[in-house]
């Protein structure tokens, strides 16, 4: 049966690949992006998210079977917290009524292995509290401290998003409504986002030091798209709140073999 998917970031990279693979498999895709998609929208603003969700719902005749949120930016600027966190969470939330009309609703987002990197706990907390003005203010302070501190904005956005997925996935709005909500955390994906950085030997060495990928090295967007497609397929009936590190082994390398003992008796 044909399912209707809303894919953000459908104009480039992982989102474009996901949209293409879904269409090749006969699914209906409504792409959302700043440009080059069915619905042109700016997910960095509250109004842009509301308008995009309304346009996507209308294009889907009111019933959306799955949402895959890929739109994001990696720039060390305050806007990154708006696009990567609020542009995902508020957009998904606005689509809950349309998802509720599906027989098998699903949602998946793109976090990052950067969720494991140093970040700003205050920015993460403000995002998780749903306070975008405060998150932007904190991001502004962080960016003003210089280039090294500015880099904290992206990992903060992805840490907050990964935590939001775990927290929201088990609530009445998601699990209670029968909607699996999960995320994917890529390593270094070969898309326009990383092209400039990887073009120089120095840039690539810097990326590889932070993101070690012993399995097959830098990954094509298909490696993420196929997982997003499974997470939002009818087959996924019981996975909730997971952020899957699909990253060439970066997470296992960085965090090691014991991520379970945190709650063992001391
Ligand atoms: P990309 O730059 O190729 O595509 C991102 C898309 O998001 C673009 O089409 C862009 O126009 C859209 N977008 C940006 N701001 C927007 C806004 N305000 N409103 C609507 N659309 C907007 O990048 P890529 O690599 O495909 O990234 C997709 C997701 O994967 C992002 O969330 C990124 O943070 C994440 N990611 C990427 C990694 C990589 O190595 N490329 C690694 C880990 C995570």
């Amino acid at each position: 049966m044909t399912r209707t998917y809303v894919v953000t970031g459908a104009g480039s990279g992982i989102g474009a690949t996901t949209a293409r693979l879904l269409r090749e498999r006969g699914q209906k895709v409504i792409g959302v992006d700043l440009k080059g998609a069915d619905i042109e929208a700016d997910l960095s603003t509250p109004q842009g998210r509301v308008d995009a969700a309304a346009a996507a719902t209308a294009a889907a005749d009111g019933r959306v079977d799955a949402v895959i949120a890929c739109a994001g930016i990696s720039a060390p600027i305050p806007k990154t917290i708006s696009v990567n966190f609020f542009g995902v969470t508020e957009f998904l939330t606005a689509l809950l009524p349309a998802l509720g009309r599906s027989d098998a609703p699903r949602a998946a987002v793109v976090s990052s292995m950067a969720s494991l990197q140093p970040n700003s706990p205050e920015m993460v907390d403000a995002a998780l509290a749903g306070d975008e003005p405060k998150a932007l203010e904190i991001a502004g302070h962080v960016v003003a401290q210089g280039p090294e501190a500015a880099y904290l904005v992206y990992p903060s956005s992805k840490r907050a998003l990964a935590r939001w997925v775990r927290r929201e996935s088990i609530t009445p709005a998601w699990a209670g409504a029968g909607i699996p909500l999960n995320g994917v955390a890529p390593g270094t994906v070969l898309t326009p986002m990383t092209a400039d950085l990887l073009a120089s030997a120095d840039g690539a060495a810097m990326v590889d030091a932070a993101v070690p990928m012993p399995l097959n090295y830098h990954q094509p967007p298909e490696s993420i798209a196929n997982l997003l497609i499974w997470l939002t397929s009818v087959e996924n009936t019981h996975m909730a709140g997971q952020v899957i590190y699909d990253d060439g082994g970066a997470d296992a390398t960085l965090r090691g073999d014991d991520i379970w003992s945190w709650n063992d008796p001391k």
Side-chain angles (χ1 to χ4, degrees):
M1 213 184 75
T2 303
R3 284 163 62 74
T4 300
Y5 289 75
V6 175
V7 179
T8 76
S12 176
I14 295 169
T17 302
T18 305
R20 175 176 58 77
L21 292 177
L22 283 167
R23 285 186 177 122
E24 283 172 10
R25 294 169 199 184
Q27 308 294 7
K28 175 174 174 175
V29 176
I30 299 162
V32 178
D33 207 306
L34 284 171
K35 54 188 177 332
D38 306 291
I39 295 170
E40 302 206 337
D42 183 356
L43 296 170
S44 73
T45 70
Q47 194 58 47
R49 293 160 205 150
V50 169
D51 292 347
T57 300
D61 292 328
R63 195 201 78 221
V64 170
D65 295 299
V67 185
I68 301 179
C70 303
I73 54 175
S74 57
I77 55 174
K79 193 184 199 175
T80 296
I81 191 78
S82 283
V83 179
N84 294 5
F85 182 81
F86 296 97
V88 176
T89 60
E90 290 191 355
F91 182 71
L92 254 60
T93 304
L95 282 172
L96 275 170
L99 284 165
R101 294 186 200 103
S102 168
D103 294 336
R106 309 280 184 265
V109 310
V110 182
S111 175
S112 170
M113 68 69 59
S115 59
L116 303 171
Q117 294 174 341
N119 57 81
S120 156
E122 296 78 19
M123 203 188 314
V124 172
D125 286 348
L128 285 169
D131 192 340
E132 189 170 6
K134 188 168 176 197
L136 279 167
E137 190 190 318
I138 295 167
H141 291 316
V142 164
V143 169
Q145 285 165 32
E148 207 168 310
Y151 185 67
L152 298 176
V153 180
Y154 182 74
S156 302
S157 72
K158 296 300 187 178
R159 172 76 65 96
L161 183 58
R163 287 183 55 184
W164 183 85
V165 164
R166 284 185 75 81
R167 188 184 76 184
E168 292 301 311
S169 66
I170 51 174
T171 62
W174 294 93
I179 312 174
L181 168 65
N182 296 281
V184 176
T188 303
V189 188
L190 298 167
T191 69
M193 182 178 275
T194 51
D196 284 352
L197 204 52
L198 298 178
S200 76
D202 280 358
M206 196 184 78
V207 170
D208 292 345
V211 189
M213 299 178 71
L215 176 67
N216 291 331
Y217 200 41
H218 299 159
Q219 54 197 129
E222 285 80 359
S223 65
I224 303 301
N226 281 313
L227 181 53
L228 289 167
I229 289 171
W230 184 81
L231 287 171
T232 52
S233 70
V234 173
E235 284 76 22
N236 179 15
T237 55
H238 283 77
M239 188 184 288
Q242 297 304 306
V243 177
I244 316 292
Y245 288 83
D246 182 355
D247 61 0
D251 168 41
T253 304
L254 295 170
R255 281 201 290 177
D257 62 64
D258 185 6
I259 56 169
W260 291 275
S261 63
W262 62 276
N263 205 23
D264 286 351
K266 296 279 179 291

